[in-house]
Amino acid sequence: MSFGQGGPQWGPGGTGGLGGGPGGGPTPDWAALAEASEARARRRKWLMIGGGALATVAVATAVALTVVSANSDDASASNKPASELPATADIPGASDDPGPTFKPTTPPPPPDPKDFISSAKKDKAPLTPEGLFPGKTFTSGENVYKKGATDSTKQCASVTQPALGAILTKNGCTRLIRASYVKGSLAVTIGVAVFDTSAEAAKVKEQVDKGLVNALPGKGVPGFCRTGVCRGTYNAYGRYAYFTTTGYPSGKNVTTSDRKAYAVGDTMARFAFQRINQRGQAQASAAAAGPE
């Protein structure tokens, strides 16, 4: 067998020529083969990276699903509207017991001051001329009345005109306190008669229609109402009946048109009422405060 033309070929489709492979066949295209190999390697690499990423996503998804599943009860409850939330009794730690309750109480009404001055059984505060008519003056608006003499007696009729004295005695007067004041040309004596009950004092007010408390001079108040006409007032509050005698130390008569004299007498009558009422208020306040 010769080594010339006409021998066996290297591979199918081979062509004869110089510089061939063994046996004189054609040389492989090494560059193309290398490129193909690199391409295949790159495809495998990207497939591996893509597969790893998909696996990572799958694992993360599985973990997320597990977390959501584990917390599904709390998450669903926290996102529910208020109308769908469990009732208070269904919430752990909650209780239907509203706690201690207290019955509403109404404080007792304060004592009535008049109750304390309507009966000797409750009217226990000291009773003296100075306590009833304190100070040296009494001021009403712009008018100042200077206080003069005061006194107190258990013989009520002894310091009144006979008509008034008889009524005081008949109804059980236990004491009569007097205090005199002067303002300008006028003088006035206040008389406060004391009884055991308010009913007795009220009877005096109903029965008296004439008679005056005797004017009390002294300590800056000159004698008055010894002669001439004076004006008197009568009233009662609680167990006290109170009177005023108003006149001129000059002896001038008080007439029904003497507005000045009437104003002085009415002012001092209100003052007597205020002092008696204040006595009741003081005892009512002490009773409301209770024992110290």
Side-chain angles (χ1 to χ4, degrees):
M1 177 175 171
S2 64
F3 291 93
Q5 296 179 353
Q9 303 293 318
W10 289 95
T15 59
L18 297 173
T27 301
D29 189 348
W30 298 112
L33 291 174
E35 290 180 1
S37 176
E38 289 178 5
R40 286 193 299 272
R42 284 195 298 270
R43 283 195 297 272
R44 285 196 299 271
K45 180 179 179 181
W46 284 112
L47 287 173
M48 292 178 64
I49 293 173
L54 290 173
T56 301
V57 172
V59 171
T61 301
V63 171
L65 290 173
T66 302
V67 172
V68 171
S69 176
N71 296 293
S72 60
D73 292 341
D74 294 338
S76 61
S78 62
N79 292 325
K80 286 184 178 181
S83 60
E84 297 182 16
L85 291 175
T88 303
D90 299 331
I91 299 175
S95 172
D96 291 334
D97 184 5
T101 58
F102 302 93
K103 294 182 179 179
T105 58
T106 302
D112 184 353
K114 192 174 181 181
D115 288 345
F116 289 88
I117 55 172
S118 294
S119 171
K121 294 180 179 179
K122 294 190 69 173
D123 191 4
K124 298 296 186 180
L127 183 58
T128 64
E130 186 59 33
L132 198 56
F133 301 108
K136 296 181 178 181
T137 62
F138 163 65
T139 301
S140 176
E142 297 180 353
N143 299 312
V144 178
Y145 298 79
K146 295 181 180 180
K147 188 173 76 172
T150 62
D151 71 359
S152 175
T153 180
K154 294 182 179 180
Q155 305 298 319
C156 301
S158 67
V159 293
T160 68
Q161 292 181 349
L164 177 59
I167 294 173
L168 295 178
T169 302
K170 176 182 177 181
N171 288 285
C173 179
T174 61
R175 182 182 300 184
L176 200 153
I177 297 173
R178 292 185 299 169
S180 290
Y181 292 81
V182 64
K183 179 184 179 297
S185 60
L186 282 164
V188 57
T189 294
I190 302 172
V192 178
V194 185
F195 300 86
D196 286 339
T197 67
S198 60
E200 293 169 341
K203 287 180 180 180
V204 171
K205 178 184 175 181
E206 293 171 357
Q207 295 169 7
V208 67
D209 58 357
K210 60 182 179 179
L212 301 174
V213 170
N214 293 342
L216 176 65
K219 294 187 177 180
V221 177
F224 65 102
C225 293
R226 293 176 180 173
T227 61
V229 178
C230 291
R231 189 231 178 182
T233 66
Y234 321 90
N235 215 325
Y237 186 67
R239 69 185 188 110
Y240 300 90
Y242 55 96
F243 316 92
T244 64
T245 299
T246 305
Y248 291 94
S250 65
K252 176 183 175 180
N253 291 335
V254 176
T255 66
T256 56
S257 61
D258 191 342
R259 298 176 61 182
K260 187 177 179 180
Y262 272 65
V264 168
D266 291 346
T267 296
M268 299 312 289
R270 285 192 297 270
F271 175 50
F273 166 79
Q274 291 168 0
R275 294 305 305 157
I276 297 168
N277 186 56
Q278 179 60 38
R279 178 178 173 84
Q281 289 178 339
Q283 293 181 85
S285 297
E292 296 183 358

